[in-house]
Amino acid sequence: MRIIMRIHWICAILALLLATAVRADDTLTFDEETLRRYIYDQKHLRPSAPGHTSNWAVIVSTSRFWFNYRHQANALSMYRTVKRLGIPDSQIILMLADDVACNPRNAFPGIVYNNADRAIDLYANNIEVDYRGYEVTVDTFLRVLTDKVDVATTPRSKRLMTDENSNIFVYMSGHGGNEFLKFQDAEEISAFDIADAFAQMWEMRRYNEILFMIDTCQANTMYTKFYSPNVLAVGSSELDESSYSHHADSDVGVAVIDRFTYYNLEFLEKVNRDSQLTMQDLFDSYEPEKIHSHAGVRTDLYGRNLSEVLITHFFGNVQAVELDNFDDED
């Protein structure tokens, strides 16, 4: 059987190489990235399971300093949303500089708002920041995803304890550009870095499905290099487009939320734990006239019909429950 499988692989690779020969002088050339993805997909493809057994979230604000208030408010808003819909803190990794609530410029000490109406204190209800300040680095983020943190010194609450039955919501907000996202103005993470991290996660059976959402300038370029199965990706803006803030609070003195995140939250506020709203409903709600940029959705790596994927499959929570049979002793 092993010999037959090896022959199958050799034939498949030769067929792909011959199909990609393009030069007039008959020299064999091929797109190495295409070959790599083909081999990877054929070797590791497995279907996603709609009946996943757990939900996790990794929420990251990659900015620091007072004038980036909105990026931390974006992340805290998403954190509040997934908690409201049932994902416990033990299954949320929150990464942010955390230098806003107690900033001396804050007219409302210990409080972070995402709207000038100040209806919601995002810093209330005992938020749990897992990585703060200068702990928020590219290396830390990638190690959390790939489970390469120091197990001896890292508490379970700060680790992504997922498996092949876990759905993961990954949200990122900050300053970015074409295929990169800044981390605290000190370093950058590339689209290739995240793509390869997801590939490692798939190889190690660390997820069932991933929803990747990013709010930054030229955000859609950050998911162009993904090649792992069962990844649904959405970004706030196309190549050469900026992502804009929604509005400022005159007393706070800076913008308090970005437009893309604002309109996602506006939709998600209509969702409860029993909601039948789908990811297609969410994506259909995007209007360039409101967002001031063209949000993008990448679905080619994702195998399910978005009209059948509930919002709560990523933003809500399910738990594996084992039922034991007990004999009546009456």
Side-chain angles (χ1 to χ4, degrees):
M1 179 61 71
R2 292 183 178 177
I3 295 175
I4 294 174
M5 289 301 295
R6 287 172 181 169
I7 293 174
H8 169 77
W9 277 108
I10 293 171
C11 292
I13 293 171
L14 288 175
L16 183 62
L17 291 176
L18 292 172
T20 54
V22 294
R23 291 181 55 179
D25 61 1
D26 294 330
T27 301
L28 186 65
T29 63
F30 60 92
D31 182 342
E32 292 183 1
E33 183 177 0
T34 299
L35 177 60
R36 175 172 61 87
R37 292 185 181 183
Y38 175 84
I39 295 174
Y40 186 89
D41 288 347
Q42 294 300 315
K43 185 177 180 181
H44 300 283
L45 186 62
R46 65 181 186 271
S48 63
H52 61 284
T53 59
S54 65
N55 283 83
W56 292 72
V58 179
I59 299 174
V60 188
S61 168
T62 63
S63 300
R64 63 184 301 110
F65 307 122
W66 178 253
F67 54 83
N68 290 317
Y69 183 111
R70 67 191 184 280
H71 294 155
Q72 296 191 48
N74 290 344
L76 287 169
S77 297
M78 285 298 177
Y79 170 79
R80 171 185 173 274
T81 296
V82 297
K83 282 189 67 175
R84 179 178 64 82
L85 293 176
I87 302 181
D89 266 316
S90 59
Q91 290 168 213
I92 303 172
I93 305 297
L94 178 61
M95 307 176 70
L96 72 163
D98 201 22
D99 59 353
V100 166
C102 297
N103 193 294
R105 299 184 186 182
N106 193 351
F108 308 96
I111 298 175
V112 178
Y113 294 117
N114 64 0
N115 198 309
D117 65 10
R118 301 176 201 145
I120 300 173
D121 175 9
L122 299 173
Y123 216 70
N125 300 321
N126 299 318
I127 71 164
E128 293 186 15
V129 181
D130 296 289
Y131 297 90
R132 58 164 41 91
Y134 290 106
E135 291 180 319
V136 183
T137 66
V138 171
D139 182 66
T140 299
F141 173 67
L142 295 176
R143 284 178 177 273
V144 166
L145 290 183
T146 57
D147 195 27
K148 293 182 179 178
V149 295
D150 187 342
V151 176
T153 60
T154 306
R156 288 177 62 91
S157 62
K158 300 178 69 170
R159 297 168 58 194
L160 191 67
M161 305 291 290
T162 57
D163 58 33
E164 62 183 348
N165 298 311
S166 304
N167 277 11
I168 307 174
F169 170 51
V170 179
Y171 174 86
M172 306 186 78
S173 177
H175 290 293
N178 185 6
E179 297 182 0
F180 73 87
L181 178 67
K182 290 183 179 181
F183 266 66
Q184 302 196 18
D185 290 333
E187 55 181 346
E188 299 172 354
I189 191 171
S190 75
F192 294 93
D193 295 328
I194 301 176
D196 290 342
F198 286 172
Q200 290 182 53
M201 294 172 72
W202 181 257
E203 175 76 19
M204 296 185 292
R205 296 181 175 267
R206 288 181 54 76
Y207 74 86
N208 172 58
E209 296 178 345
I210 289 176
L211 170 62
F212 176 79
M213 178 179 286
I214 183 167
D215 191 348
T216 185
C217 295
Q218 306 188 68
N220 302 353
T221 65
M222 289 300 294
Y223 57 65
T224 57
K225 304 305 178 185
F226 291 178
Y227 55 94
S228 303
N230 301 350
V231 177
L232 176 62
V234 56
S236 59
S237 52
E238 294 179 344
L239 176 67
D240 296 328
E241 277 190 340
S242 296
S243 289
Y244 296 96
S245 63
H246 188 268
H247 68 279
D249 181 327
S250 58
D251 290 324
V252 173
V254 291
V256 292
I257 196 165
D258 282 317
R259 301 190 75 88
F260 178 69
T261 296
Y262 178 91
Y263 287 108
N264 273 286
L265 293 171
E266 184 178 69
F267 182 93
L268 292 169
E269 283 298 312
K270 299 181 293 186
V271 178
N272 57 43
R273 299 187 189 189
D274 299 319
S275 176
Q276 295 302 300
L277 290 170
T278 68
M279 295 304 299
Q280 189 64 61
D281 294 326
L282 173 61
F283 298 152
D284 287 344
S285 73
Y286 294 163
E287 299 180 30
E289 296 78 12
K290 290 183 177 180
I291 300 175
H292 292 183
S293 58
H294 293 82
V297 179
R298 183 174 175 188
T299 62
D300 61 297
L301 298 171
Y302 191 72
R304 293 203 285 150
N305 186 332
L306 296 183
S307 296
E308 300 174 356
V309 181
L310 298 181
I311 293 289
T312 51
H313 285 182
F314 289 106
F315 293 90
N317 187 46
V318 298
Q319 295 289 343
V321 178
E322 295 184 3
L323 299 177
D324 292 324
N325 291 323
F326 295 96
D327 295 329
D328 292 333
E329 298 181 0
D330 294 343

